[in-house]
Amino acid sequence: MNILAEIEQRLQVLGPEQIEVIDDSAKHHGHEGAKSGGGHFRLRIVASCFSGLTALSRHRLVYDALGSLMRREIHAISIDASAPDPQDNSHLYQE
Amino acid sequence: MDIKEKIHQTVTGNGVVLYMKGSPQFPQCGFSSRAVQILNACGVKNFTSVDVLADSEVRQGIKDYSNWPTVPQLYIAGEFVGGSDIMTEMFQNGELQKQLEPILNGA
């Protein structure tokens, strides 16, 4: 299985309504942090389980789902994780 | 002193600490560079930066300390805030500035 499919499969545990994974590795070829061999990715995921959670908690859910992939296959991943209705998180940022 | 204790002393003994790749002047990674830019945009002139590339023990130790698999990592008043994506999101909605306010006013 290729790495993009593997990432998507691991994230199924979050019950995503939308998921998009982009491999950005080519852009980072040769830079210091890429020497370990892992790839650079961009993820956009929409799932109702993110509703009401802080950004920190949403990202932790994603990292937990990716699990061991974070140790080797993934060097860096930019995460955009949101609930289906963006209003769901708004109360967290108001006085 | 073990590495966990050393990290704990660093993050609790300083108001704003950024664990990053490279230095604020010469970041070695786009995500670390973005984290520095955001702190600058928030008006944080003096923050403690730790280059994880300079010490492999810290590089792994900081991931274990926060149970967070990537660098950069921002700490404010001893509390783990997040990486560069979270910093961006919190900067855009004003939450980061709010969290930095007591530090900027007090120190």
Side-chain angles (χ1 to χ4, degrees):
Chain A
M1 192 183 335
N2 76 42
I3 182 66
L4 292 178
E6 173 115 35
I7 290 171
E8 279 205 32
Q9 192 190 54
R10 297 239 185 161
L11 292 170
Q12 289 307 312
V13 69
L14 300 173
E17 294 182 14
Q18 293 176 47
I19 186 166
E20 186 181 7
V21 190
I22 295 166
D23 189 341
D24 260 350
S25 301
K27 280 192 203 167
H28 300 268
H29 183 70
H31 94 117
E32 173 61 34
K35 282 179 185 167
S36 58
H40 285 70
F41 301 91
R42 257 185 300 152
L43 165 70
R44 196 179 64 80
I45 180 169
V46 179
S48 56
C49 68
F50 296 134
S51 179
L53 298 182
T54 62
L56 190 65
S57 303
R58 281 181 268 131
H59 284 230
R60 278 206 194 280
L61 284 176
V62 170
Y63 284 138
D64 286 348
L66 293 172
S68 61
L69 291 180
M70 289 306 302
R71 284 205 294 273
R72 239 168 60 97
E73 290 85 349
I74 300 174
H75 169 71
I77 184 163
S78 180
I79 300 169
D80 175 357
S82 59
D85 178 4
Q87 297 305 312
D88 286 354
N89 294 320
S90 63
H91 67 281
L92 294 170
Y93 305 118
Q94 288 164 4
E95 298 275 7
Chain B
M1 181 171 25
D2 74 355
I3 188 66
K4 194 177 171 188
E5 180 61 23
K6 184 177 157 190
I7 289 169
H8 187 69
Q9 283 195 3
T10 303
V11 301
T12 54
N14 298 281
V16 181
V17 184
L18 184 68
Y19 284 82
M20 62 180 290
K21 293 179 177 172
S23 67
Q25 289 73 32
F26 298 102
Q28 297 289 316
C29 155
F31 299 99
S32 289
S33 176
R34 181 145 56 102
V36 170
Q37 284 171 11
I38 291 170
L39 286 178
N40 288 336
C42 288
V44 185
K45 291 185 184 70
N46 295 308
F47 58 90
T48 304
S49 70
V50 180
D51 180 3
V52 302
L53 297 177
D55 187 337
S56 62
E57 209 183 21
V58 174
R59 187 172 184 172
Q60 183 56 45
I62 194 63
K63 296 176 182 176
D64 298 336
Y65 180 79
S66 55
N67 188 28
W68 189 263
T70 54
V71 172
Q73 294 188 12
L74 176 69
Y75 293 80
I76 300 176
E79 190 188 333
F80 176 55
V81 175
S84 63
D85 289 332
I86 289 177
M87 287 176 70
T88 301
E89 188 173 326
M90 290 177 71
F91 177 64
Q92 283 166 355
N93 65 32
E95 186 68 17
L96 188 60
Q97 293 88 323
K98 204 184 294 176
Q99 207 165 328
L100 285 164
E101 223 166 73
I103 306 272
L104 292 175
N105 293 335

